[in-house]
Structure formats: C-alpha cells, structure tokens
C-alpha cells in the first residue's frame, strides 16, 4: 500500500512539473534581441528583416513590442525575421541616436532599407504582416487611386496575363493582410492591384452598395486581345480571407469547359474538390459546335459558382432518358447525379443557385403529361396576363378613389367635371382586371389633382353605356372634357404612361399663345409645376395670319397628339420675327428640348394633319435611342432596318461615342441606330435567343431587317466597335458578302389571343352564353364554320400535335439536330391550348 502511494505521489509530482514547464516553453520569446553591431553584421543579401531600435522599453512601447512578438511566426513563414535591437545609451547613430527614430520600425532587405513604419501604423499582427508584405511586394502589387491608372494597368495586361483587383477600406486590416499573403504566392502569376478609394470601386463598374466591406475581382485580361475590349470581371462573393481568395483563384485557373468522355460518376474536377457542383451539358456529334457554345456561355455565367462539362452521348453509354439534356453532380458523397430536362440557360443558372429547384423541376416533369390531359385548371392559364390575374385573384384592389358609374350617373359625371377619365372594362376578363390594377395606381398618383375625375364602367353590367359610347373592345380608356369630343387613349397601359397622358391632356393641344414673350416662355418649358415631371419636349407651330389651312391642319394634329406631347401655336403679326430668330420661315415648327437650352427650327413643308403628326413623331425620336418596350413601336413605324447594340448594362463610353458618331454622320439615315440595355429590358434576352439560339457574349452589334427578308447579321466579334469598322461591315452587307446568322420567320407577330369585340359578343345569339363565364379561343371560328366542316375542323386542330409527333419520331435519339444549344437557349415552351377564361 505504501509503495503504491509513493508511485501515485511520484506520478502526481511529474504531472505538476510538466504543467509548470509548459508555460515556460510558451513564454520563451521568439523575438531576437541583438545589439546594433550584431544585427548589421548578421544581415544577409536578399533576406528581409523587420527591426525595432530601443534604448529601454517604456510603458508606452510595451503593447507594440507584444504585437511585434506575436507577428514573428507569421513573418517567418515568408522568410522575414523580426529583431529587437537594444541600443547602448552612448550610441548616437542614425537609428539609435534620435528620439524620432526610436518611434519607428525599419524593414531591410539585406543591408538596404526598404521602408520606415511609424509604430502606431503597426497596431496588431494583421497590420504588421500586411504592411511588411505590401512593402516587399512593391512590383507584384500595384496601388492605384484613379480609374485612369487602373485602366492603364488593364490595357498593359490585355492579351498577356490576368489581374486581381482588390478594394479594402483601409490598409493594415485583416482583408488587406489576406490579399497580401495570397499575392506573395500568386504575384508572379497574376498582376495584383490594390486600392482603398471607394469612388474608384464605383467608377470601375461595381454595383456593390456597401463600400464599407472589402471586395475582390478576378479580371480576365489575358483573353482581351483588343484594347477596346474590357476585361471580364468575376467577383469573389465570399469574405476576403486567405482560404477564400486562394479558392477563387484556383477556380479562375481551371478550364472554362471540361470535355468528358467517361461515365460522369467517375469524373472529378477542381470544382467538385472545392465543394462546388458540376453541370454536364449532354451533347452528341451532330450538335457539338452548338453545345460547345452553350457550355461556354453557361460557364461564364456560373464562374465561381459551379463547373461546366461537355459530355458526349456518342462516347458514353448512359442509361438515362433520351430527352435529358442536363446533368448535375454535387460534391456531396453518395448523392446520385440528377438528369434533367431544362428549357433554357436561365433554368440551369437557377438550378445551381437554388438547390430546391431540382426537386421542383423533377416534380414538374413528372406532372407535365398529366397537366396536358387535364388542361381545365383555371388557376394557372397559358396566357401570361390571365395567369398573372388568376394568381392575384384573391387580392382586393383599392378602388375607393375610382368612381363607379352606371347608366344613370354616367352622363352627369362627364358633364360636371372639367376632365373625366373613364375605364370601360369587363369584370370577368383578364386583361381588364390587369389594367384595373394599373388604374388604381394611377388614382393613387393623381390623388388631390384638381379637375380630374377617375371613373369606371363595367360593360358587363351596363352594356347600354358602352354601346352608346362606341366601346367595341375592352379595356378602353377615354377622356371626356366639357364641350369636346372624347379622346380615346391608345398608348401603353402601364401606370407611368397612363398618368402622363392624363396630366398632359389637361393642357390645350395646341396651346394658343398671344405674344412673343408667351411663345418664348413656352419654349423654355414654362408650364404649370405639376406637369414638369411629365413634360419633355415642346413643339411650337409658327404661322402667319394668312395661313389658315396650315393652322387648321396643325390644330387637328394637336387633337391627335393630345396627351402624348405638348404643342403650342403662334400666328400673330410678328410671327415672322420669331421664326427668323431660329432661321426658318412660316409655316414652321420649333422643337424645344431640355427646357429651351436647345431649340431647332424645321420648315413645315406638308400641310396635312396626318403628315404633320408623322413629321412631329419622327422629329421627337432620338438620334441614338435606347430601345425599350415602350418606345419600340415608334421606331418600328419607320419601317427601317435596325443596327442595334445589345449590352448587359450601360454601353461603354467608347462604343457609345462611336455609335453616336455613326448615327449623326449619316444624313437621312436609311437605318435605325440604337441600343438595348438587357438589365432595363430583360426581353432582350429572348430577342437574342430568337436571333442566335444562344445568347452571345455582350456587347454584341446586330443588323436586322424586320420588314424585308428578316435576315440577322452579327458584327464580327474580333473587331472593335468603331465607326470605320461598322461602315466597312455595312458595305459588305450591302454587297452581299456576309452570311446571315439566322433568318426570322415570316409569320405575323400577333398577340397570343385576339382582342375581345364587345359589341360582337353581345350580338352573338348563344342561349347558354350568359350562363358560361368564359369561352374557348376557338369558339368563334367554330361558330362560323358550316356543320359539314366539323370533321375538317377537328383534323385541322389535331395537325400540330401530329406534326410534332412525326418530327419527334424522325429525330435522332432524344433530340433533333438543332442540339442542346437551341433547346437550352432558344426553345420556347410549346403553347398549350387556351383554356377557359
């Protein structure tokens, strides 16, 4: 028992000794302490060292020494030694003799001084490591303050190497340290650029709203062989840590698209190794080129989020559905590969960004055939407007500010108010309900406006009013003014457009001006303040007193354009003096843009109302417009070819300057020079898909003639967008030397459904019509067919399905020769039969 107790005491004593020794090991200082002579004699050529000179350690310097000591191990990893030098009291050398020198740390490479650091700039380990590496990597990491400096570095790198551009709010931070540590490893591979200027981050095109957080971009300058071509930028979407930056650079260095010729279960790429999914585009020999383009487009969109591989069906025997065109492999072990049928590239991107979509897409595929058979579900319709209305049908609209009119109150309402706006609609019809929603928003905007009454008439309840007012289709919006014929609104039915029309309709069109001062004030934009946000360009007609015919035509043109623009008219005795001021003679038009800062005089050669309307409409069009859904109809009316620049955001300064120069340089331009911002007008993605099957790299310049042959030509991607290059290319098009990228179908562009003719529906004598709340799209045609044509109608109705079935049978396994690219990027969902409204 005594021996056992002794062994226990001995063991306990040994543990106490070990416990007391561990702190002693930890407290052993890693910071070298040398005399000045020892330090300078030990310096080795090419080796860096950080030195702090001190006579004695004052209490104020103690925190700094602690941080210096803590940074010893971190700097040793980069071959940098840290030394504290004890200066003798009698030493009066440069580093030991001056008081100011003792408040600094010095970085040497060999015996050459690289940088002096104030001790208050080295406040912790992060700041010490970041500042020391920043000083040593002077050539590998460039610091920039202006956008010009950044662009000069980019231009010097184009076609040679890539760039890593980092923004940190301040130097010496943890993010700054992370960037410098990665630059120490990758500085010879990529050019690193650093800035602390938040304005430079915005000037460089970053939409990041939070400038307090650090940002890093990988700039693909090696692929930009033309100075005019900007470097693509892929942002790091995680925090700036060494691990995240290293991971990002590994992903940027991986092949854009990996070609696979083995079972995807056995495939392993850097993306999977780093915890990212891998998307397979299933291809075959006949469609390889199209599939390759699709894969490359997807790879750019998913860069840093997923890898993309091209898998050939011809080389790998896959036991999957023949119609599958995409596969997804996740980095999780034991999770099987998902084989999917997707419609376009947007679905692939959504699939990667939202994992929950995988289950939804698979469920949708399983239910697709069943939905085709049971197509009587009124909650989800094939027409987009109907679908939207059905989706929101339980939402109550705030219609309190809109007066409901009946057969008894209609006439008194339009007579008692200065301006009455009436929406004629049908309560059961989808487009009417959609417009009613916009109408309630208009009422909210115009709340409190004097002399404007917003009202509505449900034509289903009061057909007599709609018949009397000649409302043949709904929805219809009319504006009634006392003593004047009602004006029918035929513009866009959005809230902004409708509000603008109502407000501008309050001003007489044309506005008759009595003096030159009134005319000059009108050209300066002097209208009521409440109209300032809706008024853009003023049109002033100038006539002599004898030009009665031209004046009458101008007044008629004003009634047609009322609500769309503001028009004035001046025909006093001194009209000649006013017109001469702008170098024209009556009859003439004066166009005032930008509040009178630019007034253009145009001779009014034609004196017909319709010609005047057409002339004014044309003159108000921009020289180099941004095409939107709202203004496209105006440019289509010109019936000219389109030279259109598609851009994912604002166009570059150089491209915009060259295109504007081209537009201004050709008088009476035979084509429309324009551009489209796909961020403002997302429908542009669908337009490009119709042109090229897959969306090409942006920006892209396209020539398309929608009014003749429908041929689409793509400006060569290896040429810069300049006026000279474009004119040379257009000459080749004119000479027939270029091959079109595609040719558009000659079928008419029509709405998915015909407009409802209200009077015709009311006259239709179908006994059960009132009991039915809706009818099929084909009902009207069926009613017009003779009885003996019923069989033909049935055959005709079945033809599209049969044709599709025959085409499917004639295809190679699982697809036609259009390949995955058109299926992913260009194939529209096949329209289902229009179900009951």
């Amino acid at each position: 028992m005594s021996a056992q107790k002794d062994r226990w005491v001995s063991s306990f004593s040994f543990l106490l000794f070990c416990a007391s020794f561990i702190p002693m090991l930890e407290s052993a200082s890693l910071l070298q302490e040398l005399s000045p002579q020892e330090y300078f004699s030990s310096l080795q050529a090419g080796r860096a060292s950080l030195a702090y000179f001190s006579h004695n350690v004052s209490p104020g310097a103690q925190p700094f020494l602690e941080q210096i000591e803590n940074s010893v191990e971190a700097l040793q990893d980069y071959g940098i030694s840290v030394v504290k030098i004890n200066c003798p009291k009698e030493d009066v050398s440069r580093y030991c003799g001056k008081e100011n020198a003792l408040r600094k740390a010095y970085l040497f490479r060999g015996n050459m001084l690289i940088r002096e650091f104030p001790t208050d700039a080295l406040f912790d380990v992060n700041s010490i490591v970041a500042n020391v590496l920043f000083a040593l990597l002077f050539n590998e990491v460039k610091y920039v303050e202006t956008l010009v400096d950044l662009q000069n570095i980019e231009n010097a790198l184009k076609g040679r190497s890539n760039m890593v551009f980092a923004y940190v709010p301040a130097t010496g931070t943890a993010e700054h340290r992370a960037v410098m540590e990665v630059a120490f490893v990758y500085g010879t591979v990529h050019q690193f650029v650093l800035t602390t200027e938040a304005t430079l981050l915005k000037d460089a095109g970053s939409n990041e709203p939070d400038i307090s957080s650090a940002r890093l971009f990988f700039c693909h300058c090696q692929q930009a062989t033309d100075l005019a071509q900007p470097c693509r930028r892929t942002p790091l979407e995680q925090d700036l840590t060494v691990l995240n930056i290293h991971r990002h650079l590994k992903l940027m260095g991986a092949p854009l698209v990996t070609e696979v010729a083995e079972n995807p279960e056995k495939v392993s790429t850097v993306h999977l190794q780093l915890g990212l999914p891998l998307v397979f585009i299933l291809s075959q020999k006949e469609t390889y080129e199209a599939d390759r383009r699709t894969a490359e487009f997807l790879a750019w969109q998913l860069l840093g989020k997923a890898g993309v591989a091209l898998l050939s069906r011809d080389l790998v025997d896959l036991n999957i559905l023949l119609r599958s065109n995409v596969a997804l492999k996740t980095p999780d072990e034991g999770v099987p590969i998902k084989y999917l049928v997707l419609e376009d590239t947007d679905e692939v991107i959504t699939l990667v960004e939202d994992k929950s979509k995988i289950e939804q897409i698979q469920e949708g595929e399983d239910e697709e055939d069943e939905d085709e058979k049971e197509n009587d579900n009124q909650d989800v319709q094939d027409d987009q407007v109907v679908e939207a209305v059905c989706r929101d049908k339980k939402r109550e609209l705030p219609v309190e500010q809109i007066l409901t009119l009946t057969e008894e109150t209609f006439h008194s309402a339009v007579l008692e108010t200065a301006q009455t706006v009436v929406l004629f609609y049908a309560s059961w019809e989808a487009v009417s309900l959609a417009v009613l929603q916009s109408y309630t928003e208009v009422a909210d905007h115009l709340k409190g406006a004097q002399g404007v009454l917003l009202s509505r008439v449900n034509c289903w309840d009061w057909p007599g009013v709609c018949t009397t007012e000649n409302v043949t289709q709904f929805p219809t919006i009319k504006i009634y003014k006392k003593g004047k014929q009602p004006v029918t609104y035929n513009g866009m039915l959005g809230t902004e457009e409708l509000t603008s029309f109502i407000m501008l309709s309050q001003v007489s069109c044309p506005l008759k001006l009595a003096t030159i001062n009134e005319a000059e004030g009108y050209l300066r934009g002097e209208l009521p303040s409440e109209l300032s946000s809706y008024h853009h360009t003023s049109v002033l007609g100038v006539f002599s007193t004898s030009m009665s015919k031209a004046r009458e035509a101008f007044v008629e043109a004003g009634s047609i354009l009322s609500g769309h623009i503001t028009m004035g008219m001046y025909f006093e005795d001194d009209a000649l003096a006013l017109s001469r001021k702008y170098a024209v003679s009556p009859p003439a038009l004066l166009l005032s843009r930008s509040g009178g800062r630019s007034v253009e005089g145009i001779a009014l050669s034609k004196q017909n109302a319709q010609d005047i309307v057409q002339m004014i409409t044309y003159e108000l069009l921009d020289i180099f417009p941004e095409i939107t859904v709202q203004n496209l109809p105006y440019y289509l009316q010109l019936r000219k070819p389109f030279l259109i620049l598609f851009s994912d955001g604002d166009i570059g300064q150089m491209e915009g300057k060259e295109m504007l120069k081209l537009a201004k340089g050709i008088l009476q331009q035979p084509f429309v020079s324009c551009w489209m911002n796909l961020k403002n007008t997302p429908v542009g993605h669908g337009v490009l898909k119709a042109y090229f099957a897959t969306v090409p790299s942006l920006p892209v310049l396209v020539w398309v003639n929608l009014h003749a042959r429908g041929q689409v030509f793509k400006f060569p991607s290896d040429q810069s967008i300049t006026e000279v290059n474009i004119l040379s290319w257009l000459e080749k098009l004119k000479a027939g030397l270029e091959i079109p990228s595609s040719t558009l179908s000659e079928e008419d562009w029509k709405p998915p459904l015909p407009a409802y003719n209200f009077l015709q529906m009311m006259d239709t004598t179908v006994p059960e019509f009132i009991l039915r709340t809706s009818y099929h799209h084909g009902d009207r045609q069926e009613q017009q067919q003779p009885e003996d044509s019923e069989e033909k109608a049935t055959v005709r109705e079945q033809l599209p399905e049969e044709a599709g079935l025959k085409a499917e049978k004639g295809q190679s396994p699982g697809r036609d020769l259009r390949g995955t690219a058109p299926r992913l990027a260009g194939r529209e969902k096949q329209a289902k039969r229009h179900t009951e409204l």
Side-chain angles (χ1 to χ4, degrees):
M1 182 69 183
S2 176
Q4 184 178 1
K5 181 178 180 181
D6 290 339
R7 285 196 301 273
W8 184 87
V9 170
S10 299
S11 301
F12 184 72
S13 301
F14 178 76
L15 290 174
L16 284 176
F17 172 78
C18 293
S20 63
F21 187 70
I22 290 174
M24 291 175 62
L25 288 175
E26 291 180 350
S27 65
S29 177
L30 297 174
L31 180 65
Q32 297 183 60
E33 295 194 26
L34 302 173
S35 66
Q37 294 79 9
E38 291 173 332
Y39 173 70
F40 285 111
S41 64
S42 65
L43 293 178
Q44 301 176 17
R47 184 175 175 83
S49 60
L50 180 66
Y52 173 67
F53 294 81
S54 173
H55 279 298
N56 48 35
V57 180
S58 63
Q62 187 62 40
F64 168 71
L65 282 176
E66 291 177 0
Q67 297 302 325
I68 280 286
E69 186 170 352
N70 293 337
S71 66
V72 171
E73 285 186 279
L75 289 176
Q76 279 181 349
D77 292 339
Y78 302 101
I80 304 167
S81 58
V82 182
V83 183
K84 176 179 175 293
I85 300 172
N86 300 314
C87 296
K89 291 182 179 181
E90 66 275 9
D91 193 337
V92 292
S93 64
R94 172 185 175 185
Y95 299 104
C96 289
K98 296 182 180 179
E99 185 64 27
N100 288 339
L102 299 176
R103 297 174 184 170
K104 297 179 180 178
Y106 299 86
L107 179 65
F108 291 87
R109 179 182 278 124
N111 57 4
M112 182 175 65
L113 178 64
I114 301 295
R115 184 73 55 85
E116 298 178 3
F117 298 108
T119 54
D120 57 358
L122 307 179
F123 46 88
D124 62 7
V125 175
N126 289 330
S127 63
I128 293 171
V129 175
N131 283 301
V132 168
L133 290 179
F134 195 16
L136 291 175
L137 299 176
F138 179 77
N139 292 321
E140 286 81 4
V141 181
K142 302 290 186 183
Y143 182 82
V144 294
E145 295 181 342
T146 66
L147 182 61
V148 174
D149 293 336
L150 179 63
Q151 290 174 340
N152 289 339
I153 295 174
E154 274 196 359
N155 290 336
L157 294 173
K158 287 177 179 177
R160 294 174 46 241
S161 61
N162 298 316
M163 181 177 77
V164 180
F165 173 51
Y167 159 76
V168 292
T171 57
T173 59
E175 293 84 359
H176 182 206
R177 174 184 175 181
V179 172
M180 300 313 304
E181 289 187 291
V182 176
F184 189 88
V185 179
Y186 288 94
T188 56
V189 181
H190 310 302
Q191 176 64 65
F192 280 71
V193 177
L194 183 75
T195 188
T196 56
E197 301 293 331
T199 54
L200 176 56
L201 187 66
K202 293 181 179 179
D203 292 341
S206 173
N207 297 323
E208 182 66 29
D210 183 13
I211 61 173
S212 64
S213 59
R215 300 283 291 152
L216 184 137
F217 302 86
F218 186 89
C219 306
H220 307 266
C221 296
Q222 194 169 9
Q223 296 184 349
T225 55
D226 190 342
L227 283 179
Q229 181 183 356
C231 300
R232 285 177 179 263
R233 292 180 181 171
T234 304
L236 170 63
E237 298 183 353
Q238 291 82 31
D239 295 334
L240 262 65
T241 64
V242 172
L243 184 60
N244 286 341
I245 300 175
H246 169 76
R247 182 173 177 269
H248 192 61
L249 297 187
K250 289 285 286 183
L251 291 172
M252 297 303 103
L256 186 64
V257 175
T258 304
E259 296 205 23
V260 177
E262 60 179 325
N263 191 316
E265 296 283 358
K266 300 178 181 179
V267 173
S268 177
T269 66
V270 65
H271 306 87
L272 293 169
Q273 295 163 11
L274 294 176
L276 295 180
L278 181 64
V279 176
F280 293 88
I281 303 300
L282 306 186
S283 177
Q284 57 188 16
K285 181 173 61 178
E286 294 87 348
T287 63
Y288 172 82
E289 292 299 332
D291 300 338
R292 176 80 192 184
R293 289 194 298 270
T294 299
E296 289 177 353
F297 171 78
L298 263 178
W300 280 115
Q301 301 299 310
L302 296 175
L303 198 58
K305 301 175 183 177
V308 176
L310 193 62
L311 176 62
S312 175
R313 288 177 177 270
D314 303 300
L315 301 176
V316 182
D317 184 18
L318 297 175
N319 186 22
I320 59 173
L321 291 174
L322 294 177
R323 60 177 181 162
S324 297
N325 54 8
V326 172
L328 181 70
K329 183 176 183 179
T330 64
D332 305 320
E333 291 187 12
V335 178
I337 293 179
K338 307 281 187 181
Y339 291 93
L340 307 165
V341 181
L342 301 184
E343 294 289 342
D344 53 35
T345 51
D346 290 339
E347 285 193 2
V348 182
I349 295 170
T350 303
L351 181 69
V352 170
E353 295 177 348
D354 186 357
K355 294 182 179 179
S356 64
K357 292 290 181 182
I358 301 177
E359 289 76 13
Q360 295 178 18
I361 291 172
Q362 287 183 320
E363 291 174 4
E365 290 175 8
D366 296 338
E367 297 172 1
E368 185 175 353
D369 295 336
E370 185 177 348
D371 288 342
E372 288 285 343
K373 297 175 183 178
E374 300 178 6
N375 200 21
D376 58 350
N377 182 3
Q378 296 185 9
D379 285 341
V380 179
Q381 305 283 351
D382 49 17
D383 180 69
Q384 294 180 3
V385 176
V386 182
E387 181 181 352
V389 172
C390 288
R391 191 170 57 245
D392 298 336
K393 65 183 179 181
K394 295 181 181 179
R395 187 172 135 200
E396 293 187 10
L397 294 176
V399 294
E400 298 82 9
Q401 300 178 55
I402 302 173
L403 181 63
T404 302
L405 300 180
T406 66
E407 205 165 50
E408 291 78 18
T409 60
F410 177 81
H411 295 289
S412 59
V414 298
L415 292 175
E416 291 173 0
T417 311
Q419 181 174 331
T420 305
V421 184
V422 184
L423 168 65
F424 298 92
Y425 71 104
S427 56
W428 55 268
E429 194 261 328
V431 180
S432 290
L433 296 179
V435 174
L436 183 59
Q437 181 171 334
S438 296
Y439 200 56
T440 59
E441 295 171 358
V442 172
D444 189 56
H445 283 299
L446 299 182
K447 187 177 181 180
Q450 297 296 321
V452 180
L453 172 67
L454 265 65
S455 60
R456 59 188 175 123
V457 174
N458 187 350
C459 293
W460 200 247
D461 294 334
W462 307 104
V465 176
C466 301
T467 304
T468 304
E469 297 304 314
N470 196 31
V471 177
T472 60
Q473 295 180 348
F474 44 77
T476 295
I477 296 175
K478 291 193 175 189
I479 297 181
Y480 294 80
K481 292 184 179 180
K482 290 181 180 179
K484 295 185 179 180
Q485 289 293 323
V487 176
T488 302
Y489 176 67
N490 54 11
M492 301 289 288
L493 293 171
T495 304
E496 184 179 341
E497 294 80 10
L498 185 52
T499 304
S500 174
F501 183 83
I502 293 171
M503 293 301 292
L504 291 180
S505 294
Q506 292 184 292
V507 183
S508 297
C509 191
L511 189 65
K512 296 179 181 178
L513 307 169
T515 66
I516 281 189
N517 288 336
E518 286 185 7
E520 294 278 16
Y522 171 78
L523 290 174
R524 289 192 297 270
E526 294 179 2
L527 289 172
S529 58
E530 61 269 19
L531 300 179
S532 59
S533 59
Y534 306 103
H535 168 71
H536 301 289
T537 302
S538 298
V539 178
L540 177 63
V542 182
F543 308 89
S544 65
T545 53
S546 62
M547 297 175 178
S548 57
K549 181 179 178 182
R551 292 204 314 267
E552 290 173 2
F554 189 76
V555 170
E556 186 179 346
S559 64
I560 296 172
L561 294 173
S562 175
H564 298 285
I565 61 172
T566 56
M567 293 172 60
M569 185 168 67
Y570 188 70
F571 54 94
E572 301 300 325
D573 295 334
D574 52 359
L576 185 60
L578 177 64
S579 61
R580 281 180 176 174
K581 180 178 178 180
Y582 300 103
V584 288
S585 299
L589 297 179
L590 300 181
L591 269 66
S592 171
R593 296 182 172 91
S594 305
R597 289 194 293 272
S598 171
V599 178
E600 180 183 357
I602 303 170
L604 192 60
S605 57
K606 296 182 179 180
Q607 299 178 12
N608 174 277
Q610 289 297 333
D611 290 334
I612 294 175
V613 169
Q614 186 175 357
M615 180 181 180
I616 293 174
T617 304
Y618 177 77
E619 292 295 339
L620 292 179
L621 298 178
D622 292 332
I623 297 175
F624 179 53
E626 177 187 352
I627 294 296
T628 63
V629 174
Q630 288 80 4
N631 66 18
L632 177 60
Y634 300 109
Y635 293 96
L636 284 175
Q637 288 174 3
L638 300 177
R639 301 193 66 80
K640 293 181 178 180
F642 276 57
L643 179 65
I644 181 166
L645 179 65
F646 291 88
S647 175
D648 189 18
D650 292 334
I651 53 177
Q653 185 176 1
M654 196 198 87
E655 289 90 348
K657 182 179 178 181
E658 292 293 324
M659 290 292 291
L660 186 59
K661 191 193 306 182
L662 174 73
K664 289 181 176 178
I666 301 178
L667 296 176
Q668 297 298 321
Q669 210 176 53
F671 55 86
V672 177
S673 296
C674 55
W675 70 288
M676 181 180 289
N677 184 345
L678 269 60
K679 287 187 177 178
N680 295 340
T681 312
V683 72
H685 288 284
V687 174
L688 286 176
K689 289 176 183 178
Y691 288 173
F692 303 111
T694 59
V695 177
S697 299
L698 300 179
V700 61
L701 185 63
V702 174
W703 169 279
V704 57
N705 193 343
L706 301 172
H707 309 287
R709 301 173 68 184
Q711 290 183 329
V712 179
F713 295 88
K714 179 177 174 289
F715 183 74
S717 56
D718 58 347
Q719 294 186 26
S720 57
I721 298 176
T722 64
E723 180 187 21
V724 174
N725 289 344
I726 296 172
L727 288 175
S728 174
W729 179 59
L730 293 179
E731 287 297 324
K732 292 181 180 179
L733 293 186
K734 187 176 179 181
L737 301 178
E738 292 284 331
I739 300 174
S741 300
S742 61
T743 301
L744 302 179
S745 170
E746 295 183 359
E747 64 185 74
D748 293 336
W749 295 357
K750 295 180 180 179
L753 300 174
Y756 292 101
N757 188 316
F758 178 69
L759 293 183
Q760 183 182 14
M761 290 173 63
M762 296 303 296
D763 293 339
T764 304
T765 55
V766 181
E768 71 276 16
F769 184 77
I770 297 177
L771 299 177
R772 297 172 59 191
T773 59
S774 55
Y775 64 100
H776 284 295
H777 177 49
D779 287 352
R780 202 176 308 166
Q781 295 177 347
E782 292 170 4
Q783 291 170 9
Q784 295 173 356
Q785 292 173 348
E787 294 181 4
D788 59 356
S789 65
E790 289 183 5
E791 184 177 350
K792 294 180 181 179
T794 304
V795 172
R796 192 158 48 243
E797 186 176 343
Q798 293 175 348
L799 278 176
E801 297 177 7
E802 294 175 0
L805 183 60
K806 291 177 182 179
E808 197 66 27
K809 289 180 179 178
Q811 294 171 1
S812 56
R815 66 191 64 225
D816 58 23
L817 295 183
R818 292 180 302 164
T820 304
R823 282 176 173 266
L824 285 178
R827 182 160 61 95
E828 299 292 340
K829 294 182 178 180
Q830 293 187 2
K832 302 175 182 179
R833 292 183 57 194
H834 184 69
T835 50
E836 292 187 352
L837 290 175

